Amino acid sequence: MKETVGALAGALLESEKTVVFTGAGMSTESGLPDFRSPGGLWGKYRPEELASTEALNRNFENFASFYRQRIATIGEVKPNKGHLILAEWERRGIISAIVTQNVDGLHQAAGSKTVWELHGTLRKVRCQSCGKEYPAEMYSTETACEKCRGKLRPAVVLFGEMLPEDALSAGMELASSCSLFLVLGSSLAVSPANLLPERAKRNGASLFIVNNTPTHLDRLAEGVIHASIGEVLSAVDELLALNG
């Protein structure tokens, strides 16, 4: 691990444009449950039952209850060490942007400015009928739009919906133009988000992956680390500090 951490620090110093791609593993270190690993949310629930357009349209009471719980949960957690380091790296010009699969808003809460959310955000809800947006906090007591009385739903991508075009396009452009693509806490199992690291490699970028478990793209990476994201980024940050 020490050798790979050193290689990642060197790659960050040499890179003209670094893009960070984050998944659920980034948030679990803040105490949020993930979806697909043992004990994750999809071990308890079937996605199509609670987090889909079908649930929104046909089983709204359970849909709203599930998302009220998720919104309340993210309100109880704070950015972790990894989030804070990434925000500081952006401020220092070490990284250019973050593309995330996460919907918790913890990157922004840590101070990151350029964050593209591929799967939307739980920090807002919107009307399914007229599109009016509201702070997510109101979902605890109200599930109907004040303007048209349509159904309120979280501003996330549900199963059965397309990814937001602006975020996906930005992610594709960043993957095409970066010199270093750093994956943090993603199994790279969800399409089309998992196409981004492959696109970066095809366009000549170096690829580093930090994740607790192996991914199908490990074979393409210049470096792979199976360890805590916070610990890895802290170790890299110490090396960067030594190099001014």
Side-chain angles (χ1 to χ4, degrees):
M1 172 175 156
K2 185 176 181 180
E3 182 178 339
T4 310
V5 165
L8 175 55
L12 284 165
L13 288 171
E14 295 175 4
S15 175
E16 295 182 1
K17 183 178 182 179
T18 296
V19 173
V20 178
F21 179 83
T22 64
M26 190 83 215
S27 298
T28 56
E29 294 188 19
S30 284
L32 286 174
D34 69 357
F35 290 87
R36 289 172 176 80
S37 63
L41 286 175
W42 296 152
K44 301 176 183 178
Y45 311 105
R46 292 171 59 220
E48 59 270 24
E49 288 180 349
L50 294 172
S52 65
T53 53
E54 182 177 357
L56 170 64
N57 294 322
R58 299 186 181 182
N59 193 10
F60 184 67
E61 184 175 341
N62 287 346
F63 171 90
S65 177
F66 173 69
Y67 276 108
R68 276 198 298 268
Q69 181 181 343
R70 289 202 64 202
I71 289 168
T73 299
I74 68 164
E76 297 170 354
V77 300
K78 295 181 179 180
N80 60 55
K81 185 187 305 182
H83 291 112
L84 297 172
I85 289 173
L86 291 180
E88 175 62 14
W89 284 359
E90 182 187 22
R91 189 189 67 79
R92 290 160 54 189
I94 295 172
I95 66 173
S96 298
I98 295 171
V99 181
T100 186
Q101 296 173 289
N102 300 331
V103 296
D104 48 52
L106 290 175
H107 285 300
Q108 294 92 327
S112 293
K113 304 298 183 185
T114 307
V115 182
W116 291 98
E117 296 173 310
L118 292 176
H119 296 159
T121 179
L122 281 175
R123 300 283 176 169
K124 298 177 183 178
V125 295
R126 70 169 185 265
C127 177
Q128 181 72 357
S129 298
C130 73
K132 182 175 174 59
E133 290 189 339
Y134 301 90
E137 291 76 15
M138 78 174 288
Y139 213 52
S140 63
T141 58
E142 183 59 71
T143 57
C145 176
E146 294 176 350
K147 180 180 178 183
C148 73
R149 305 311 296 171
K151 294 176 182 176
L152 292 182
R153 44 81 52 94
V156 297
V157 177
L158 301 175
F159 288 87
E161 293 182 325
M162 302 290 288
L163 270 59
E165 186 175 343
D166 59 344
L168 183 58
S169 295
M172 290 293 186
E173 190 282 325
L174 287 165
S176 298
S177 60
C178 69
S179 49
L180 172 60
F181 196 91
L182 172 59
V183 175
L184 300 175
S186 176
S187 63
L188 300 177
V190 178
S191 180
N194 62 0
L195 300 178
L196 298 181
E198 295 184 60
R199 188 183 187 96
K201 281 294 295 183
R202 285 200 305 271
N203 284 276
S206 298
L207 174 64
F208 281 78
I209 300 173
V210 181
N211 194 52
N212 278 334
T213 57
T215 79
H216 72 286
L217 291 184
D218 287 0
R219 57 187 174 78
L220 298 179
E222 279 70 21
V224 176
I225 303 173
H226 300 308
S228 158
I229 295 169
E231 291 177 6
V232 171
L233 296 189
S234 294
V236 172
D237 196 47
E238 290 178 7
L239 293 177
L240 295 178
L242 291 175
N243 286 274

